[in-house]
Amino acid sequence: MRNGYAEVPIEGGAAEVVQSLPAIHGDPFDRMLVAQARVLGVPLWTCDAKVSEYGPGVRLI
């Protein structure tokens, strides 16, 4: 892509991780973002204080 971003498909590993996440945030898409970040080993930056409660790897900006 011209802007340097790439699409990240949702894979089985992330689906498994999302099942083990505590129910801190009710939005299933946000929970999937947390799971994908954990599986990929990349930080997740968010402005949502609730999402930031997932701890390590999630940074509130």
Side-chain angles (χ1 to χ4, degrees):
M1 301 187 134
R2 283 190 245 173
N3 60 12
Y5 296 103
E7 292 181 14
V8 178
I10 296 172
E11 297 183 359
E16 288 179 24
V17 170
V18 81
Q19 295 283 334
S20 67
L21 291 175
I24 295 171
H25 201 288
D27 185 328
F29 184 76
D30 286 339
R31 291 168 49 88
M32 183 55 75
L33 289 175
V34 172
Q36 279 190 291
R38 288 185 180 182
V39 167
L40 296 172
V42 298
L44 175 63
W45 294 0
T46 182
C47 61
D48 186 328
K50 270 307 218 192
V51 172
S52 72
E53 291 179 25
Y54 281 103
V58 183
R59 298 181 185 143
L60 185 62
I61 57 170

